[in-house]
């Protein structure tokens, strides 16, 4: 019995952490955003969070299955319809996907001075993670791919460096950690590399709202279903070849998170 329990716990951790989380990219996004917070924004955020926003980047993934946060399961995803338009699909929890939820969170954060402290704290933790997930390649679901809006299509298996892996999970983890391998061990060096490379676009990229970000993410991420099909074999050179997608999605998310926080807390 004890063994079965241990196995069940191990599987829960495996499925909640590895297969369903953008992991390292969330930390990079928060680090990029933090670099671009104004002093006033940082001071106001510090009233609600005890640590750097980087320390909260994965909070939402850790608590996604715990009571009472199950409601947030689909907030990690966005949905794009057959015309490439984000549709904010309501799923089984009846509460919409990451786009309408992000819109609500931004609205509430903009009104932080009139909100209860606990809600400001919670909304900050949602935002730090969810702006990232709005840009996460594997978390953009397409209504017209097999399985529709509830699809697990991108969990199809491929051979990655000789091991059977889910395409989804590879994009969540290896797309970021198997490129720029000399930088992975130093989050802030990786952050500066991305920021130096894409910083000239910050002003143009930080604009928009969750709906326009979703439209853009849909367009940018759709080709990944042409790049690989079930059963394909590839190694890290695949992510090297497509690193533009990974890096630009991370940079955009970082700049947009900084803007959301500066808009709300910089005043
Ligand atoms: Zn997530």
């Amino acid at each position: 019995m004890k063994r079965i329990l241990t196995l069940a716990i191990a599987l829960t951790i495996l499925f909640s952490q590895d297969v369903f989380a953008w992991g390292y990219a969330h930390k990079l996004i928060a680090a990029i955003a933090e670099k671009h917070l104004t002093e006033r924004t940082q001071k106001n955020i510090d009233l609600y969070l005890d640590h750097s926003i980087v320390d909260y980047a994965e909070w939402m993934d850790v608590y996604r299955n715990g009571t009472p946060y199950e409601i947030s399961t689909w907030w990690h995803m966005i949905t794009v319809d057959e015309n490439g338009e984000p549709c904010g699909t309501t799923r089984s929890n009846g509460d919409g996907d990451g786009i309408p939820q992000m819109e609500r969170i931004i609205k509430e954060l903009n009104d932080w001075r009139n909100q209860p402290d606990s809600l400001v704290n919670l909304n900050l933790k949602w935002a730090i993670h969810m702006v990232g997930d709005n840009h996460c390649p594997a978390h953009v679901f397409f209504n017209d791919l097999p399985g529709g809006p509830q699809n697990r299509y991108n969990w199809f298996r491929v051979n990655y460096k000789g091991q059977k892996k889910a395409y989804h999970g590879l994009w969540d983890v290896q797309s970021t950690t198997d490129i720029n391998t000399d930088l992975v061990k130093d989050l802030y060096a990786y952050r500066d590399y991305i920021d130096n490379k894409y910083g000239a676009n910050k002003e143009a990229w930080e604009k928009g709202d969750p709906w326009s970000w979703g439209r853009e993410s849909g367009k940018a991420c759709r080709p990944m279903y042409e790049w690989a099909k079930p059963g394909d074999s590839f190694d890290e050179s695949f992510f090297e070849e497509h690193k533009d997608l990974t890096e630009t999605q991370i940079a955009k998310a970082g700049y947009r998170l900084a803007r959301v926080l500066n808009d709300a807390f910089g005043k």
Side-chain angles (χ1 to χ4, degrees):
M1 186 63 186
K2 213 172 172 184
R3 258 191 205 171
I4 294 171
L5 260 180
T6 311
L7 179 67
I9 291 165
L11 284 173
T12 306
I13 291 168
L14 179 75
F15 278 93
S16 59
Q17 300 284 314
D18 288 346
V19 186
F20 218 55
W22 205 13
Y24 191 87
H26 281 293
K27 286 195 209 161
L28 265 178
I29 289 162
I32 292 166
E34 188 178 53
K35 188 176 173 180
H36 293 285
L37 296 182
T38 66
E39 213 174 301
R40 190 175 177 79
T41 301
Q42 187 64 68
K43 222 169 119 198
N44 283 327
I45 289 175
D46 288 344
L47 300 172
Y48 295 92
L49 298 180
D50 294 330
H51 305 281
S52 154
I53 63 170
V54 176
D55 294 330
Y56 297 94
E58 294 180 285
W59 178 88
M60 200 169 158
D61 277 331
V62 175
Y63 284 90
R64 68 192 308 154
N65 295 316
T67 310
Y69 298 115
E70 312 94 320
I71 195 167
S72 67
T73 305
W74 289 103
W75 301 2
H76 296 258
M77 321 292 160
I78 67 167
T79 324
V80 173
D81 71 14
E82 43 289 353
N83 302 313
E85 284 298 308
C87 43
T89 301
T90 295
R91 292 207 176 72
S92 44
N93 62 12
D95 219 9
D97 69 14
I99 292 181
Q101 285 301 328
M102 197 57 232
E103 193 177 38
R104 171 189 62 77
I105 288 161
I106 290 173
K107 203 170 152 215
E108 288 176 2
L109 284 177
N110 281 328
D111 189 38
W112 63 277
R113 288 183 197 276
N114 299 310
Q115 303 284 333
D117 289 357
S118 56
L119 185 64
V120 180
N121 169 281
L122 191 57
N123 275 333
L124 270 168
K125 291 186 284 196
W126 299 134
I128 291 163
H129 186 86
M130 280 170 64
V131 174
D133 272 343
N134 271 223
H135 296 79
C136 172
H139 291 212
V140 182
F141 284 179
F142 293 90
N143 270 350
D144 60 325
L145 285 178
Q150 304 280 2
N151 79 60
R152 294 177 66 86
Y153 175 66
N154 66 23
W155 272 264
F156 66 72
R157 299 278 155 169
V158 293
N159 272 301
Y160 186 68
K161 299 201 271 192
Q163 281 192 306
K164 272 200 166 61
K165 297 268 190 184
Y167 194 50
H168 181 117
L170 289 173
W171 273 99
D172 272 0
V173 181
Q174 283 79 3
S175 68
T176 315
T177 58
D178 285 13
I179 59 167
N180 307 320
T181 46
D182 50 331
L183 294 170
V184 168
K185 283 195 184 105
D186 184 344
L187 180 75
Y188 294 94
Y190 205 150
R191 171 200 68 179
D192 289 340
Y193 156 78
I194 300 253
D195 193 36
N196 292 337
K197 190 167 173 184
Y198 299 98
N201 301 296
K202 179 176 169 288
E203 215 175 305
W205 284 355
E206 67 186 5
K207 296 194 172 89
D209 58 33
W211 295 93
S212 65
W213 305 338
R215 193 171 301 121
E216 225 181 280
S217 287
K219 208 171 161 195
C221 300
R222 180 61 188 236
M224 63 190 255
Y225 299 101
E226 296 305 318
W227 298 340
K229 300 287 180 195
D232 281 1
S233 296
F234 52 87
D235 59 19
E236 61 270 36
S237 61
F238 175 89
F239 290 114
E240 192 58 41
E241 190 185 335
H242 300 300
K243 77 194 266 183
D244 241 21
L245 175 63
T246 303
E247 291 182 354
T248 53
Q249 290 298 101
I250 288 171
K252 283 178 180 179
Y255 297 144
R256 288 166 181 173
L257 176 59
R259 204 213 76 207
V260 163
L261 297 176
N262 282 328
D263 279 359
F265 292 91
K267 55 191 184 211

